[in-house]
Amino acid sequence: MKSYKGQHFGNSSIRQILGNITYTGNLLFQKEYVADPISKKSKINRGELPQYFVENTHEAIIPMEVYQAVQAEKARRRELGALANWSINTSCFTSKIKCGRCGKSYQRSNRKGRKDPDANYTIWICGTRRKTGNAQCQNKDIPEQMLKEACAEVMGLDKFDEIIFSEQVDRIEIPAPNEMVFYFKDGRIVPRHWESTMRKDCWTDERRAAKGRYVQEHQLGPNSSCFTSRIRCDSCGENYRRQRSRHKDGSFDSVWRCASSGKCQSPSIKEEVLKKLCAEAMGLESFDEMAFREQIACIHIMAPFQLSIRFFDGHVFEAGWENKRKMPGHTEQRKQHMREVMIQRWREKRGESNDDTGNDKPIHGNADQ
Ligand SMILES: [Zn+2]
Ligand SMILES: [Zn+2]
């Protein structure tokens, strides 16, 4: 069906047709009125002037019951908001999370973790912030995983349940970053403070253990590290562990290896390389342990020499590295050994050439001489 201009009907003209009572064979007068007699601009009469309804003025093409059903459905959808719009990917949180700063609903947004499909995640972001950026509203995004955990906790459930949520919770308001207020349908109001956590289950477990680990690390003293149990090998699932080797001058060299390094092929990584990459990821000139603990949730060794640094706020930094072998020959002992090898080779060569010329000198010299 085409409009009289021969084009497809636009949304607004369909809306106008659905709302036009004239099709029911009745007329409503003074739907619009001329507000300004000079400009002759007309305005929709929203009750400023009386309206006159005249029944059965002409033949109906739409029965009155259908018209009324359509009006009821329009009102229902207006009430539902985004939930009534099939083109919007809705969830149980759709139009239930309200920004306390600007009043808009939070919207769902899928974020792609670069390269690593496991790093895909979903956040909820204030509609104003999503449209216009930080300028109009600075309220914080909420990772969906975090939202579900907070809901489960407030509802007293082990695991988040969409149906129970929809039944119990009327709305969640976000009055300020890291604050949430749950409005239950039974009238209860439950505020909750939240901290950015990880968006993956393994991170959640890690977050839960974080406090205990922090204490543990401080009790363990100099042997502990901020990297302890934060580096995961993606190919076998084990954590990386630190190995330290002491040099003659008393300095340490720390290398992190997959805990099942005998069976697993994932490469080791030097602590200094880890620190350099983390500093880069955090935008710092040099590594800062406090900043690391505050910002970085975990590091995944994804593929040989490829890692991803995952932040508590959900963003991911990916990087590659290489393990350069230290050139041997730094120690005196090694230098001496190489010297002997060279002499030996030289003598062997000379021995061969002597053989060719029929010289009677001994073919092989003694390296001890
Ligand atoms: Zn907002
Ligand atoms: Zn491994």
Side-chain angles (χ1 to χ4, degrees), residues 101 109 134 203 312 336:
R101 292 215 164 156
S109 174
N134 238 345
W203 294 12
F312 284 122
Q336 181 62 33

Side-chain angles (χ1 to χ4, degrees), residues 258-269:
C258 175
S260 57
S261 59
K263 293 172 245 160
C264 179
Q265 298 299 309
S266 286
S268 62
I269 181 166

